[in-house]
Amino acid sequence: MTARVSLWVGVAVVAVLFGWGSWQRRWIADDGLIVLRTVRNLLEGNGPVFNAGERVESNTSTLWTYLITLGSWVGGAVQLEYVALWFALVLSVLGVALAMLGAGRLYAPSLQGRRALLLPAGALVYIAVPPARDFATSGLENGLVLAYLGLLWWMMVCWSQALRSRPADAPDGDAVSRTSAATLAFVGGLSVLVRPELALVGGLALVMMLISARGWRRRVLIVAAGGALPVLYQIFRMGYYGLLTPNTALAKDASGAKWPQGFTYLANFNEPYLLWIPAVLLVALGAVLVATRSRPWWISHRSPRGYGWLARTVQSPPAVVIFFVASGLLQAIYWVRQGGDFMHGRVLLTPLFCLLLPVASIPVVLPDGSRFTRETGYLLAAATSVLWLTVAGWSLWAANSPGMGADATRVTYTGIVDERRFYAQATGHAHPLTAADYLDYPRMRAVITALDNTPDGALLLPAGNYDRWDVVPAIPPPPRPPDASADWIDEHQPQHTVFFTNLGMLGMNVGLDVRVIDQIGLANPLAAHTARLEDGRIGHDKNLFPDWAVAEGPFLKTRPYVPPYLDEDWIRQAEAALKCPDTEAVLSSIRGPMGPRRFLSNLVHAVEFTRYRIDRVPRYELARCGLAVPEPINPPYTGMPATGP
């Protein structure tokens, strides 16, 4: 009883501290607003797209997108930003609570009949790290990831203990009911919809269940429950978007490797908080708990009939602990290989959380002289207490750390910034929560003015002056015939395109009739299909020249209508390169009318389209495609003066 009460008290205290600390740092990231633009299109009936009429999946977390959509639909008049804020906060707190409850369940069998306390340890470490509180309310899917991993951890611990809690003389059959097995398999299968790389976690959980299951019927149930939804969505993704992955994975080349940048990112996360200190303390704490048990929690009762050694080993608490620790290490290795991120700490929060799950709460057995000798009992209590107090002391220090310090809001050679502090400084709002708050970001109010000043349509390019945009006018439409049909009117509606990096704040502050694209490829299919720059800023290491945006749209393409920094010949070459048959096929897959034929064609060619790359230099792209270079408008410079007649 003492252990149970202390566990719930610890859960309540940690939840309050984490919730309060996260609220003190509340904000919505620019990338969080990207998701909301897709939600707006969904609610308006344009489909799960960033720009109407262009099927691009610009959000990494499928489940997060549809969860926000559902919350917005139910909430009605509630502003989208606040739906995302509260979902993120509640799910973040729930994830940490489930982590502690799972750890409490893990240690519970070894504490029966003993006086003990279950104290928060790994949970304190996680909530103490400032980025954990930053991204608890960022509008990104971090909270959903925590809730998912916490739920999977708790369910896997329960699953691992079912075999040992069942009497050995029970009738033949699986120790876990069909309903429980199907539910756990379903949760495991959701991993890829929470974030694609979490398939490493959910997929391995399904493999463990398949190994321990008895009979082909149970295995079929696990495969069906775990795989049905992810497989159906993958078929939808391939047919609708024409890709194997979200467009964000294509834009960031998630299969690429940037090990040096990844180690830089790891050091950037560790150094401000000295994370190696709690790592050493928690490993030592785990060693003490294991070494001083008179009846360790991994010693099993005699298993029911029909369970072999492999099944007993896999469906056991130590196997689940090893599974989550290994998953955390695999996630960390993946992100270090990928090069990390440009947001301080963000992508390493998930590996950290996985590694802390087995010690989210730890037991401190109170010596009573019955089961232990008095010396051993005091040794156990003293050692665990000292280690726990040290962890708590570090957590208090880390929670008040200045983080990256002076470099927090500067884009240095590492490319990494404290994203929350950066946008708080750039907007002048301590808590930028809504798209309206981001109107105070440089260029944002100016873009609204530029759109109002170009009623006939235009391409807007960011100028060197933060108070203005460079305008490339749209090609004037032909005179409207007296008997113009509705189709003619729709076809000749003024078209606006804005070319800018910050898609979230821009996309949420302009209408859905404005096409918003970027040079790094999150919402721009052309940029997404370019090659990754070796030395580019991580997360921004694709860079499509704006000449392509002029060439692609219905805009005037010559002087004096294009800015002086654009090259008329490059624009003509880009226009010619867009006629490359393979490029046309890729663009048609996402812009052509959707029907059964298009869906099946995309499904068949999704692998090919995902691998397809273009050269960002128009002339090189023409050479790659074997197309002729258009005659230059401006004669090449030879260094010789022009000769007269």
Side-chain angles (χ1 to χ4, degrees):
M1 182 62 70
T2 303
R4 182 179 301 177
V5 171
S6 62
L7 173 64
W8 282 102
V9 170
V11 168
V13 170
V14 169
V16 170
L17 288 175
F18 189 34
W20 176 78
S22 300
W23 184 255
Q24 295 300 310
R25 305 167 81 97
R26 62 193 180 277
W27 70 304
I28 297 290
D30 175 65
D31 282 29
L33 295 175
I34 293 177
V35 179
L36 302 188
R37 166 91 172 189
T38 301
V39 172
R40 285 174 64 196
N41 273 302
L42 270 168
L43 295 174
E44 289 294 323
N46 297 326
V49 299
F50 190 79
N51 290 306
E54 195 168 57
R55 295 181 294 276
V56 174
E57 188 178 15
S58 58
N59 306 328
T60 303
S61 176
T62 302
L63 194 57
W64 181 241
T65 300
Y66 286 98
L67 184 63
I68 298 298
T69 303
L70 177 62
S72 303
W73 181 74
V74 172
V78 179
Q79 194 169 342
L80 275 176
E81 291 91 326
Y82 292 107
V83 173
L85 174 74
W86 283 107
F87 264 131
L89 179 59
V90 171
L91 288 172
S92 295
V93 174
L94 178 62
V96 173
L98 287 170
M100 295 179 65
L101 293 175
R105 178 70 181 252
L106 177 72
Y107 296 111
S110 66
L111 300 178
Q112 291 178 3
R114 303 178 185 177
R115 291 191 310 127
L117 299 175
L118 278 166
L119 302 177
L124 284 180
V125 171
Y126 184 80
I127 70 171
V129 178
R133 284 169 280 140
D134 286 345
F135 290 102
T137 62
S138 64
L140 295 163
E141 68 279 355
N142 292 72
L144 177 63
V145 171
L146 291 191
Y148 172 78
L149 291 174
L151 177 62
L152 184 64
W153 159 248
W154 178 81
M155 294 181 73
M156 288 292 287
V157 170
C158 295
W159 171 80
S160 71
Q161 294 174 338
L163 192 61
R164 283 136 185 87
S165 61
R166 184 183 180 190
D169 57 353
D172 285 347
D174 283 271
V176 180
S177 68
R178 288 190 184 90
T179 302
S180 298
T183 304
L184 177 55
F186 178 78
V187 172
L190 283 180
S191 59
V192 71
L193 300 180
V194 176
R195 274 193 69 93
E197 70 274 6
L198 289 182
L200 294 171
V201 181
L204 287 175
L206 293 176
V207 170
M208 292 177 69
M209 293 184 68
L210 288 172
I211 292 173
S212 64
R214 298 185 62 199
W216 65 270
R217 286 189 176 87
R218 179 55 62 92
R219 291 187 174 91
V220 169
L221 174 67
I222 292 169
V223 171
L229 186 58
V231 169
L232 287 174
Y233 186 79
Q234 183 63 19
I235 293 172
F236 168 78
R237 171 182 284 149
M238 293 167 67
Y240 188 76
Y241 298 108
L243 293 176
L244 293 176
T245 65
N247 193 69
T248 51
L250 181 66
K252 298 184 179 182
D253 269 347
S255 60
K258 284 195 171 183
W259 288 102
Q261 177 63 26
F263 285 115
T264 298
Y265 188 77
L266 180 63
N268 177 270
F269 184 42
N270 168 68
E271 288 173 359
Y273 320 113
L274 302 179
L275 289 173
W276 62 269
I277 293 177
V280 171
L281 292 173
L282 291 174
V283 168
L285 188 56
V288 169
L289 293 175
V290 170
T292 56
R293 291 292 177 199
S294 62
R295 184 176 179 81
W297 47 261
W298 64 82
I299 295 180
S300 63
H301 297 291
R302 189 162 57 90
S303 299
R305 294 172 296 173
Y307 280 88
W309 172 85
L310 183 59
R312 294 197 308 271
T313 302
V314 169
Q315 192 173 347
S316 66
V320 170
V321 170
I322 292 171
F323 159 63
F324 274 96
V325 171
S327 295
L329 292 173
L330 284 174
Q331 292 282 312
I333 292 170
Y334 168 80
W335 282 114
V336 171
R337 179 183 183 275
Q338 171 70 8
D341 193 37
F342 62 94
M343 302 186 197
H344 171 62
R346 180 200 169 197
V347 297
L348 291 180
L349 291 174
T350 297
L352 177 65
F353 190 70
C354 280
L355 291 170
L356 293 173
L357 285 172
V359 288
S361 293
I362 56 101
V364 177
V365 179
L366 305 177
D368 56 13
S370 58
R371 289 185 177 271
F372 301 93
T373 65
R374 191 166 297 277
E375 291 79 14
T376 303
Y378 283 126
L379 174 63
L380 172 63
T384 53
S385 297
V386 168
L387 288 170
W388 180 84
L389 286 171
T390 309
V391 168
W394 172 90
S395 299
L396 183 62
W397 169 80
N400 295 282
S401 167
M404 293 180 63
D407 286 339
T409 59
R410 295 187 301 183
V411 183
T412 63
Y413 77 96
T414 67
I416 305 166
V417 297
D418 184 326
E419 194 83 346
R420 182 188 64 83
R421 290 172 61 185
F422 176 88
Y423 281 117
Q425 175 179 289
T427 62
H429 295 273
H431 306 288
L433 293 173
T434 66
D437 291 335
Y438 279 94
L439 285 173
D440 293 320
Y441 187 80
R443 293 193 174 96
M444 281 301 102
R445 293 193 186 276
V447 79
I448 306 300
T449 301
L451 290 171
D452 291 339
N453 290 340
T454 54
D456 295 328
L459 168 67
L460 304 185
L461 301 173
N465 186 332
Y466 285 170
D467 293 327
R468 61 181 291 271
W469 287 72
D470 289 330
V471 175
V472 181
I475 297 174
R480 177 174 174 176
D483 56 347
S485 65
D487 290 341
W488 189 97
I489 295 173
D490 289 340
E491 183 182 350
H492 294 88
Q493 285 293 321
Q495 297 186 37
H496 282 98
T497 298
V498 186
F499 187 83
F500 194 50
T501 305
N502 300 86
L503 292 173
M505 64 179 76
L506 180 60
M508 284 296 289
N509 277 304
V510 301
L512 296 179
D513 58 332
V514 177
R515 183 171 180 248
V516 178
I517 58 173
D518 61 318
Q519 76 272 31
I520 61 179
L522 296 179
N524 186 342
L526 275 178
H529 283 280
T530 59
R532 193 181 191 188
L533 300 176
E534 288 299 321
D535 298 319
R537 184 189 178 196
I538 193 69
H540 299 71
D541 39 12
K542 292 191 176 182
N543 188 9
L544 190 71
F545 297 110
D547 307 70
W548 289 89
V550 179
E552 192 180 17
F555 308 115
L556 298 172
K557 298 172 173 55
T558 57
R559 301 275 184 260
Y561 304 108
V562 296
Y565 52 80
L566 297 185
D567 189 292
E568 293 175 273
D569 288 326
W570 275 47
I571 294 171
R572 292 190 68 194
Q573 292 165 12
E575 192 174 18
L578 288 170
K579 294 180 172 60
C580 177
D582 291 338
T583 303
E584 287 184 325
V586 169
L587 295 179
S588 295
S589 72
I590 62 172
R591 293 174 182 169
M594 176 51 65
R597 185 181 181 88
R598 172 74 61 191
F599 188 92
L600 290 174
S601 175
N602 286 357
L603 194 64
V604 171
H605 295 97
V607 175
E608 176 187 343
F609 292 160
T610 303
R611 293 174 177 170
Y612 185 67
R613 295 293 183 272
I614 67 171
D615 198 298
R616 68 195 192 103
V617 178
R619 191 181 185 94
Y620 296 164
E621 174 62 8
L622 288 171
R624 187 192 69 84
C625 287
L627 298 176
V629 178
E631 287 295 323
I633 296 176
N634 301 308
Y637 176 70
T638 64
M640 300 294 293
T643 58

